[in-house]
PDB file of all heavy atoms in Angstrom:
ATOM      1  N   ASP A   1      -8.594  -6.468  13.409  1.00 79.00           N
ATOM      2  CA  ASP A   1      -8.825  -5.050  13.109  1.00 79.00           C
ATOM      3  C   ASP A   1      -7.504  -4.286  13.017  1.00 79.00           C
ATOM      4  O   ASP A   1      -7.330  -3.399  12.169  1.00 79.00           O
ATOM      5  CB  ASP A   1      -9.714  -4.414  14.182  1.00 79.00           C
ATOM      6  CG  ASP A   1     -11.132  -4.953  14.150  1.00 79.00           C
ATOM      7  OD1 ASP A   1     -11.492  -5.596  13.145  1.00 79.00           O
ATOM      8  OD2 ASP A   1     -11.877  -4.746  15.130  1.00 79.00           O
ATOM      9  N   ALA A   2      -6.552  -4.637  13.905  1.00 79.00           N
ATOM     10  CA  ALA A   2      -5.255  -3.965  13.875  1.00 79.00           C
ATOM     11  C   ALA A   2      -4.520  -4.263  12.578  1.00 79.00           C
ATOM     12  O   ALA A   2      -3.871  -3.375  12.000  1.00 79.00           O
ATOM     13  CB  ALA A   2      -4.412  -4.407  15.071  1.00 79.00           C
ATOM     14  N   ARG A   3      -4.647  -5.549  12.121  1.00 83.00           N
ATOM     15  CA  ARG A   3      -3.991  -5.913  10.864  1.00 83.00           C
ATOM     16  C   ARG A   3      -4.598  -5.124   9.702  1.00 83.00           C
ATOM     17  O   ARG A   3      -3.886  -4.605   8.846  1.00 83.00           O
ATOM     18  CB  ARG A   3      -4.123  -7.412  10.618  1.00 83.00           C
ATOM     19  CG  ARG A   3      -3.383  -7.875   9.361  1.00 83.00           C
ATOM     20  CD  ARG A   3      -3.637  -9.340   9.043  1.00 83.00           C
ATOM     21  NE  ARG A   3      -3.151 -10.202  10.101  1.00 83.00           N
ATOM     22  CZ  ARG A   3      -3.923 -10.986  10.850  1.00 83.00           C
ATOM     23  NH1 ARG A   3      -5.238 -11.004  10.665  1.00 83.00           N
ATOM     24  NH2 ARG A   3      -3.390 -11.754  11.776  1.00 83.00           N
ATOM     25  N   GLU A   4      -5.924  -5.037   9.678  1.00 84.00           N
ATOM     26  CA  GLU A   4      -6.588  -4.274   8.614  1.00 84.00           C
ATOM     27  C   GLU A   4      -6.214  -2.794   8.677  1.00 84.00           C
ATOM     28  O   GLU A   4      -6.014  -2.152   7.646  1.00 84.00           O
ATOM     29  CB  GLU A   4      -8.115  -4.432   8.724  1.00 84.00           C
ATOM     30  CG  GLU A   4      -8.645  -5.759   8.232  1.00 84.00           C
ATOM     31  CD  GLU A   4     -10.162  -5.757   8.145  1.00 84.00           C
ATOM     32  OE1 GLU A   4     -10.773  -4.692   8.437  1.00 84.00           O
ATOM     33  OE2 GLU A   4     -10.748  -6.804   7.787  1.00 84.00           O
ATOM     34  N   HIS A   5      -6.131  -2.292   9.898  1.00 83.00           N
ATOM     35  CA  HIS A   5      -5.749  -0.887  10.078  1.00 83.00           C
ATOM     36  C   HIS A   5      -4.342  -0.641   9.513  1.00 83.00           C
ATOM     37  O   HIS A   5      -4.105   0.327   8.781  1.00 83.00           O
ATOM     38  CB  HIS A   5      -5.792  -0.518  11.558  1.00 83.00           C
ATOM     39  CG  HIS A   5      -5.305   0.870  11.860  1.00 83.00           C
ATOM     40  ND1 HIS A   5      -6.097   1.991  11.710  1.00 83.00           N
ATOM     41  CD2 HIS A   5      -4.088   1.322  12.285  1.00 83.00           C
ATOM     42  CE1 HIS A   5      -5.402   3.070  12.028  1.00 83.00           C
ATOM     43  NE2 HIS A   5      -4.179   2.689  12.386  1.00 83.00           N
ATOM     44  N   PHE A   6      -3.426  -1.555   9.867  1.00 84.00           N
ATOM     45  CA  PHE A   6      -2.062  -1.414   9.371  1.00 84.00           C
ATOM     46  C   PHE A   6      -2.020  -1.504   7.848  1.00 84.00           C
ATOM     47  O   PHE A   6      -1.371  -0.686   7.179  1.00 84.00           O
ATOM     48  CB  PHE A   6      -1.160  -2.498   9.967  1.00 84.00           C
ATOM     49  CG  PHE A   6       0.184  -2.582   9.299  1.00 84.00           C
ATOM     50  CD1 PHE A   6       1.170  -1.643   9.572  1.00 84.00           C
ATOM     51  CD2 PHE A   6       0.445  -3.573   8.353  1.00 84.00           C
ATOM     52  CE1 PHE A   6       2.404  -1.701   8.936  1.00 84.00           C
ATOM     53  CE2 PHE A   6       1.676  -3.627   7.705  1.00 84.00           C
ATOM     54  CZ  PHE A   6       2.653  -2.700   8.002  1.00 84.00           C
ATOM     55  N   GLU A   7      -2.714  -2.506   7.276  1.00 85.00           N
ATOM     56  CA  GLU A   7      -2.701  -2.676   5.820  1.00 85.00           C
ATOM     57  C   GLU A   7      -3.272  -1.448   5.119  1.00 85.00           C
ATOM     58  O   GLU A   7      -2.757  -1.003   4.090  1.00 85.00           O
ATOM     59  CB  GLU A   7      -3.493  -3.928   5.427  1.00 85.00           C
ATOM     60  CG  GLU A   7      -2.810  -5.234   5.784  1.00 85.00           C
ATOM     61  CD  GLU A   7      -3.627  -6.445   5.361  1.00 85.00           C
ATOM     62  OE1 GLU A   7      -4.846  -6.288   5.112  1.00 85.00           O
ATOM     63  OE2 GLU A   7      -3.053  -7.539   5.268  1.00 85.00           O
ATOM     64  N   ARG A   8      -4.346  -0.905   5.683  1.00 85.00           N
ATOM     65  CA  ARG A   8      -4.979   0.276   5.073  1.00 85.00           C
ATOM     66  C   ARG A   8      -4.008   1.469   5.085  1.00 85.00           C
ATOM     67  O   ARG A   8      -3.810   2.138   4.067  1.00 85.00           O
ATOM     68  CB  ARG A   8      -6.259   0.629   5.835  1.00 85.00           C
ATOM     69  CG  ARG A   8      -7.055   1.763   5.198  1.00 85.00           C
ATOM     70  CD  ARG A   8      -8.309   2.079   6.001  1.00 85.00           C
ATOM     71  NE  ARG A   8      -9.215   0.934   6.043  1.00 85.00           N
ATOM     72  CZ  ARG A   8      -9.444   0.194   7.127  1.00 85.00           C
ATOM     73  NH1 ARG A   8      -8.808   0.481   8.278  1.00 85.00           N
ATOM     74  NH2 ARG A   8     -10.282  -0.815   7.091  1.00 85.00           N
ATOM     75  N   GLU A   9      -3.394   1.701   6.249  1.00 82.00           N
ATOM     76  CA  GLU A   9      -2.462   2.825   6.361  1.00 82.00           C
ATOM     77  C   GLU A   9      -1.226   2.603   5.484  1.00 82.00           C
ATOM     78  O   GLU A   9      -0.736   3.524   4.819  1.00 82.00           O
ATOM     79  CB  GLU A   9      -2.025   3.006   7.822  1.00 82.00           C
ATOM     80  CG  GLU A   9      -3.127   3.432   8.773  1.00 82.00           C
ATOM     81  CD  GLU A   9      -3.660   4.819   8.450  1.00 82.00           C
ATOM     82  OE1 GLU A   9      -2.841   5.707   8.142  1.00 82.00           O
ATOM     83  OE2 GLU A   9      -4.890   5.001   8.490  1.00 82.00           O
ATOM     84  N   TYR A  10      -0.734   1.368   5.483  1.00 83.00           N
ATOM     85  CA  TYR A  10       0.465   1.044   4.712  1.00 83.00           C
ATOM     86  C   TYR A  10       0.227   1.224   3.212  1.00 83.00           C
ATOM     87  O   TYR A  10       1.015   1.879   2.510  1.00 83.00           O
ATOM     88  CB  TYR A  10       0.889  -0.392   5.010  1.00 83.00           C
ATOM     89  CG  TYR A  10       2.000  -0.911   4.113  1.00 83.00           C
ATOM     90  CD1 TYR A  10       3.318  -0.534   4.312  1.00 83.00           C
ATOM     91  CD2 TYR A  10       1.708  -1.778   3.051  1.00 83.00           C
ATOM     92  CE1 TYR A  10       4.328  -1.001   3.495  1.00 83.00           C
ATOM     93  CE2 TYR A  10       2.713  -2.250   2.220  1.00 83.00           C
ATOM     94  CZ  TYR A  10       4.029  -1.867   2.443  1.00 83.00           C
ATOM     95  OH  TYR A  10       5.024  -2.311   1.621  1.00 83.00           O
ATOM     96  N   LEU A  11      -0.867   0.654   2.716  1.00 87.00           N
ATOM     97  CA  LEU A  11      -1.146   0.732   1.279  1.00 87.00           C
ATOM     98  C   LEU A  11      -1.491   2.167   0.859  1.00 87.00           C
ATOM     99  O   LEU A  11      -1.115   2.607  -0.235  1.00 87.00           O
ATOM    100  CB  LEU A  11      -2.275  -0.230   0.906  1.00 87.00           C
ATOM    101  CG  LEU A  11      -1.907  -1.722   1.030  1.00 87.00           C
ATOM    102  CD1 LEU A  11      -3.127  -2.606   0.748  1.00 87.00           C
ATOM    103  CD2 LEU A  11      -0.778  -2.076   0.053  1.00 87.00           C
ATOM    104  N   GLN A  12      -2.204   2.881   1.729  1.00 84.00           N
ATOM    105  CA  GLN A  12      -2.508   4.277   1.404  1.00 84.00           C
ATOM    106  C   GLN A  12      -1.221   5.096   1.294  1.00 84.00           C
ATOM    107  O   GLN A  12      -1.061   5.917   0.370  1.00 84.00           O
ATOM    108  CB  GLN A  12      -3.406   4.889   2.476  1.00 84.00           C
ATOM    109  CG  GLN A  12      -3.870   6.314   2.173  1.00 84.00           C
ATOM    110  CD  GLN A  12      -4.806   6.372   0.975  1.00 84.00           C
ATOM    111  OE1 GLN A  12      -5.889   5.776   1.000  1.00 84.00           O
ATOM    112  NE2 GLN A  12      -4.399   7.068  -0.070  1.00 84.00           N
ATOM    113  N   ALA A  13      -0.285   4.836   2.210  1.00 81.00           N
ATOM    114  CA  ALA A  13       0.993   5.556   2.168  1.00 81.00           C
ATOM    115  C   ALA A  13       1.784   5.208   0.914  1.00 81.00           C
ATOM    116  O   ALA A  13       2.406   6.086   0.286  1.00 81.00           O
ATOM    117  CB  ALA A  13       1.817   5.224   3.419  1.00 81.00           C
ATOM    118  N   GLN A  14       1.764   3.921   0.512  1.00 84.00           N
ATOM    119  CA  GLN A  14       2.495   3.518  -0.693  1.00 84.00           C
ATOM    120  C   GLN A  14       1.868   4.120  -1.951  1.00 84.00           C
ATOM    121  O   GLN A  14       2.587   4.555  -2.870  1.00 84.00           O
ATOM    122  CB  GLN A  14       2.532   1.981  -0.806  1.00 84.00           C
ATOM    123  CG  GLN A  14       3.298   1.286   0.310  1.00 84.00           C
ATOM    124  CD  GLN A  14       4.770   1.655   0.336  1.00 84.00           C
ATOM    125  OE1 GLN A  14       5.289   2.252  -0.606  1.00 84.00           O
ATOM    126  NE2 GLN A  14       5.460   1.317   1.421  1.00 84.00           N
ATOM    127  N   ILE A  15       0.555   4.171  -1.994  1.00 85.00           N
ATOM    128  CA  ILE A  15      -0.131   4.772  -3.158  1.00 85.00           C
ATOM    129  C   ILE A  15       0.237   6.250  -3.268  1.00 85.00           C
ATOM    130  O   ILE A  15       0.524   6.765  -4.350  1.00 85.00           O
ATOM    131  CB  ILE A  15      -1.663   4.579  -3.033  1.00 85.00           C
ATOM    132  CG1 ILE A  15      -2.030   3.109  -3.259  1.00 85.00           C
ATOM    133  CG2 ILE A  15      -2.400   5.467  -4.038  1.00 85.00           C
ATOM    134  CD1 ILE A  15      -3.448   2.776  -2.884  1.00 85.00           C
ATOM    135  N   GLU A  16       0.227   6.949  -2.117  1.00 81.00           N
ATOM    136  CA  GLU A  16       0.605   8.364  -2.130  1.00 81.00           C
ATOM    137  C   GLU A  16       2.068   8.516  -2.527  1.00 81.00           C
ATOM    138  O   GLU A  16       2.443   9.439  -3.255  1.00 81.00           O
ATOM    139  CB  GLU A  16       0.370   8.979  -0.751  1.00 81.00           C
ATOM    140  CG  GLU A  16      -1.104   9.104  -0.390  1.00 81.00           C
ATOM    141  CD  GLU A  16      -1.304   9.640   1.008  1.00 81.00           C
ATOM    142  OE1 GLU A  16      -0.295   9.839   1.715  1.00 81.00           O
ATOM    143  OE2 GLU A  16      -2.469   9.837   1.416  1.00 81.00           O
ATOM    144  N   ARG A  17       2.902   7.598  -2.041  1.00 80.00           N
ATOM    145  CA  ARG A  17       4.320   7.643  -2.353  1.00 80.00           C
ATOM    146  C   ARG A  17       4.564   7.583  -3.847  1.00 80.00           C
ATOM    147  O   ARG A  17       5.432   8.275  -4.385  1.00 80.00           O
ATOM    148  CB  ARG A  17       5.027   6.482  -1.649  1.00 80.00           C
ATOM    149  CG  ARG A  17       6.493   6.335  -1.999  1.00 80.00           C
ATOM    150  CD  ARG A  17       7.050   5.042  -1.412  1.00 80.00           C
ATOM    151  NE  ARG A  17       8.428   4.843  -1.817  1.00 80.00           N
ATOM    152  CZ  ARG A  17       9.095   3.718  -1.628  1.00 80.00           C
ATOM    153  NH1 ARG A  17       8.508   2.688  -1.049  1.00 80.00           N
ATOM    154  NH2 ARG A  17      10.354   3.608  -2.016  1.00 80.00           N
ATOM    155  N   PHE A  18       3.801   6.733  -4.554  1.00 82.00           N
ATOM    156  CA  PHE A  18       3.980   6.569  -6.000  1.00 82.00           C
ATOM    157  C   PHE A  18       2.980   7.384  -6.811  1.00 82.00           C
ATOM    158  O   PHE A  18       2.721   7.101  -7.973  1.00 82.00           O
ATOM    159  CB  PHE A  18       3.878   5.083  -6.374  1.00 82.00           C
ATOM    160  CG  PHE A  18       5.009   4.255  -5.843  1.00 82.00           C
ATOM    161  CD1 PHE A  18       4.821   3.364  -4.799  1.00 82.00           C
ATOM    162  CD2 PHE A  18       6.291   4.404  -6.369  1.00 82.00           C
ATOM    163  CE1 PHE A  18       5.879   2.615  -4.297  1.00 82.00           C
ATOM    164  CE2 PHE A  18       7.356   3.659  -5.871  1.00 82.00           C
ATOM    165  CZ  PHE A  18       7.149   2.758  -4.827  1.00 82.00           C
ATOM    166  N   GLY A  19       2.425   8.426  -6.203  1.00 81.00           N
ATOM    167  CA  GLY A  19       1.569   9.363  -6.923  1.00 81.00           C
ATOM    168  C   GLY A  19       0.316   8.745  -7.502  1.00 81.00           C
ATOM    169  O   GLY A  19      -0.187   9.193  -8.532  1.00 81.00           O
ATOM    170  N   GLY A  20      -0.223   7.704  -6.850  1.00 84.00           N
ATOM    171  CA  GLY A  20      -1.450   7.078  -7.334  1.00 84.00           C
ATOM    172  C   GLY A  20      -1.229   6.050  -8.418  1.00 84.00           C
ATOM    173  O   GLY A  20      -2.191   5.514  -8.971  1.00 84.00           O
ATOM    174  N   ASN A  21       0.028   5.754  -8.737  1.00 87.00           N
ATOM    175  CA  ASN A  21       0.324   4.786  -9.789  1.00 87.00           C
ATOM    176  C   ASN A  21       0.223   3.370  -9.214  1.00 87.00           C
ATOM    177  O   ASN A  21       1.074   2.926  -8.442  1.00 87.00           O
ATOM    178  CB  ASN A  21       1.732   5.040 -10.341  1.00 87.00           C
ATOM    179  CG  ASN A  21       2.024   4.215 -11.584  1.00 87.00           C
ATOM    180  OD1 ASN A  21       1.882   3.000 -11.563  1.00 87.00           O
ATOM    181  ND2 ASN A  21       2.431   4.892 -12.635  1.00 87.00           N
ATOM    182  N   ILE A  22      -0.842   2.651  -9.593  1.00 89.00           N
ATOM    183  CA  ILE A  22      -1.116   1.328  -9.030  1.00 89.00           C
ATOM    184  C   ILE A  22      -0.077   0.314  -9.479  1.00 89.00           C
ATOM    185  O   ILE A  22       0.339  -0.566  -8.699  1.00 89.00           O
ATOM    186  CB  ILE A  22      -2.531   0.859  -9.415  1.00 89.00           C
ATOM    187  CG1 ILE A  22      -3.571   1.802  -8.817  1.00 89.00           C
ATOM    188  CG2 ILE A  22      -2.784  -0.560  -8.927  1.00 89.00           C
ATOM    189  CD1 ILE A  22      -3.544   1.869  -7.309  1.00 89.00           C
ATOM    190  N   SER A  23       0.368   0.394 -10.731  1.00 89.00           N
ATOM    191  CA  SER A  23       1.349  -0.581 -11.229  1.00 89.00           C
ATOM    192  C   SER A  23       2.645  -0.508 -10.428  1.00 89.00           C
ATOM    193  O   SER A  23       3.205  -1.533 -10.024  1.00 89.00           O
ATOM    194  CB  SER A  23       1.639  -0.332 -12.712  1.00 89.00           C
ATOM    195  OG  SER A  23       0.484  -0.556 -13.487  1.00 89.00           O
ATOM    196  N   ARG A  24       3.141   0.711 -10.184  1.00 86.00           N
ATOM    197  CA  ARG A  24       4.379   0.862  -9.424  1.00 86.00           C
ATOM    198  C   ARG A  24       4.185   0.460  -7.968  1.00 86.00           C
ATOM    199  O   ARG A  24       5.076  -0.125  -7.344  1.00 86.00           O
ATOM    200  CB  ARG A  24       4.876   2.301  -9.517  1.00 86.00           C
ATOM    201  CG  ARG A  24       5.319   2.707 -10.917  1.00 86.00           C
ATOM    202  CD  ARG A  24       5.719   4.167 -10.971  1.00 86.00           C
ATOM    203  NE  ARG A  24       6.864   4.436 -10.097  1.00 86.00           N
ATOM    204  CZ  ARG A  24       7.268   5.656  -9.762  1.00 86.00           C
ATOM    205  NH1 ARG A  24       6.592   6.707 -10.204  1.00 86.00           N
ATOM    206  NH2 ARG A  24       8.315   5.829  -8.983  1.00 86.00           N
ATOM    207  N   THR A  25       3.000   0.777  -7.394  1.00 88.00           N
ATOM    208  CA  THR A  25       2.714   0.384  -6.020  1.00 88.00           C
ATOM    209  C   THR A  25       2.696  -1.134  -5.891  1.00 88.00           C
ATOM    210  O   THR A  25       3.289  -1.706  -4.969  1.00 88.00           O
ATOM    211  CB  THR A  25       1.363   0.969  -5.562  1.00 88.00           C
ATOM    212  OG1 THR A  25       1.379   2.387  -5.716  1.00 88.00           O
ATOM    213  CG2 THR A  25       1.093   0.620  -4.108  1.00 88.00           C
ATOM    214  N   ALA A  26       2.011  -1.803  -6.830  1.00 88.00           N
ATOM    215  CA  ALA A  26       1.922  -3.267  -6.791  1.00 88.00           C
ATOM    216  C   ALA A  26       3.301  -3.902  -6.905  1.00 88.00           C
ATOM    217  O   ALA A  26       3.622  -4.864  -6.203  1.00 88.00           O
ATOM    218  CB  ALA A  26       1.017  -3.757  -7.925  1.00 88.00           C
ATOM    219  N   SER A  27       4.154  -3.343  -7.791  1.00 88.00           N
ATOM    220  CA  SER A  27       5.495  -3.882  -7.967  1.00 88.00           C
ATOM    221  C   SER A  27       6.301  -3.763  -6.678  1.00 88.00           C
ATOM    222  O   SER A  27       7.009  -4.692  -6.287  1.00 88.00           O
ATOM    223  CB  SER A  27       6.199  -3.154  -9.111  1.00 88.00           C
ATOM    224  OG  SER A  27       7.533  -3.576  -9.233  1.00 88.00           O
ATOM    225  N   PHE A  28       6.177  -2.623  -6.000  1.00 86.00           N
ATOM    226  CA  PHE A  28       6.972  -2.410  -4.789  1.00 86.00           C
ATOM    227  C   PHE A  28       6.493  -3.306  -3.649  1.00 86.00           C
ATOM    228  O   PHE A  28       7.311  -3.886  -2.922  1.00 86.00           O
ATOM    229  CB  PHE A  28       6.907  -0.943  -4.355  1.00 86.00           C
ATOM    230  CG  PHE A  28       7.663  -0.670  -3.092  1.00 86.00           C
ATOM    231  CD1 PHE A  28       9.037  -0.511  -3.118  1.00 86.00           C
ATOM    232  CD2 PHE A  28       7.004  -0.606  -1.861  1.00 86.00           C
ATOM    233  CE1 PHE A  28       9.748  -0.287  -1.950  1.00 86.00           C
ATOM    234  CE2 PHE A  28       7.708  -0.378  -0.694  1.00 86.00           C
ATOM    235  CZ  PHE A  28       9.084  -0.219  -0.736  1.00 86.00           C
ATOM    236  N   VAL A  29       5.162  -3.425  -3.441  1.00 84.00           N
ATOM    237  CA  VAL A  29       4.656  -4.195  -2.299  1.00 84.00           C
ATOM    238  C   VAL A  29       4.660  -5.692  -2.583  1.00 84.00           C
ATOM    239  O   VAL A  29       4.412  -6.499  -1.682  1.00 84.00           O
ATOM    240  CB  VAL A  29       3.237  -3.733  -1.897  1.00 84.00           C
ATOM    241  CG1 VAL A  29       3.238  -2.261  -1.547  1.00 84.00           C
ATOM    242  CG2 VAL A  29       2.218  -4.036  -2.990  1.00 84.00           C
ATOM    243  N   GLY A  30       4.950  -6.109  -3.846  1.00 87.00           N
ATOM    244  CA  GLY A  30       5.054  -7.525  -4.175  1.00 87.00           C
ATOM    245  C   GLY A  30       3.731  -8.208  -4.401  1.00 87.00           C
ATOM    246  O   GLY A  30       3.566  -9.389  -4.039  1.00 87.00           O
ATOM    247  N   MET A  31       2.780  -7.495  -5.017  1.00 88.00           N
ATOM    248  CA  MET A  31       1.469  -8.074  -5.317  1.00 88.00           C
ATOM    249  C   MET A  31       1.168  -7.926  -6.795  1.00 88.00           C
ATOM    250  O   MET A  31       1.690  -7.022  -7.459  1.00 88.00           O
ATOM    251  CB  MET A  31       0.364  -7.365  -4.503  1.00 88.00           C
ATOM    252  CG  MET A  31       0.472  -7.518  -3.008  1.00 88.00           C
ATOM    253  SD  MET A  31      -0.843  -6.609  -2.133  1.00 88.00           S
ATOM    254  CE  MET A  31      -2.297  -7.567  -2.615  1.00 88.00           C
ATOM    255  N   GLU A  32       0.313  -8.814  -7.315  1.00 90.00           N
ATOM    256  CA  GLU A  32      -0.202  -8.623  -8.664  1.00 90.00           C
ATOM    257  C   GLU A  32      -1.117  -7.407  -8.668  1.00 90.00           C
ATOM    258  O   GLU A  32      -1.783  -7.110  -7.672  1.00 90.00           O
ATOM    259  CB  GLU A  32      -0.978  -9.867  -9.121  1.00 90.00           C
ATOM    260  CG  GLU A  32      -0.129 -11.113  -9.301  1.00 90.00           C
ATOM    261  CD  GLU A  32       0.794 -10.982 -10.500  1.00 90.00           C
ATOM    262  OE1 GLU A  32       0.471 -10.207 -11.430  1.00 90.00           O
ATOM    263  OE2 GLU A  32       1.847 -11.650 -10.495  1.00 90.00           O
TER     264      GLU A  32
END
């Protein structure tokens, strides 16, 4: 649960950081 909590908070913060742009978020976090 802690891992999921961290991933949720982390990815939400990255999405907000890049203004909702999924392509830029994926590139930064290293995922397809």
Side-chain angles (χ1 to χ4, degrees):
D1 292 346
R3 184 186 298 116
E4 284 190 2
H5 175 81
F6 169 77
E7 288 181 342
R8 185 180 298 109
E9 294 295 318
Y10 171 77
L11 292 175
Q12 185 67 62
Q14 296 297 348
I15 289 168
E16 291 177 356
R17 174 188 176 191
F18 293 108
N21 189 306
I22 297 299
S23 295
R24 293 176 62 193
T25 304
S27 175
F28 178 80
V29 302
M31 296 178 68
E32 294 290 335

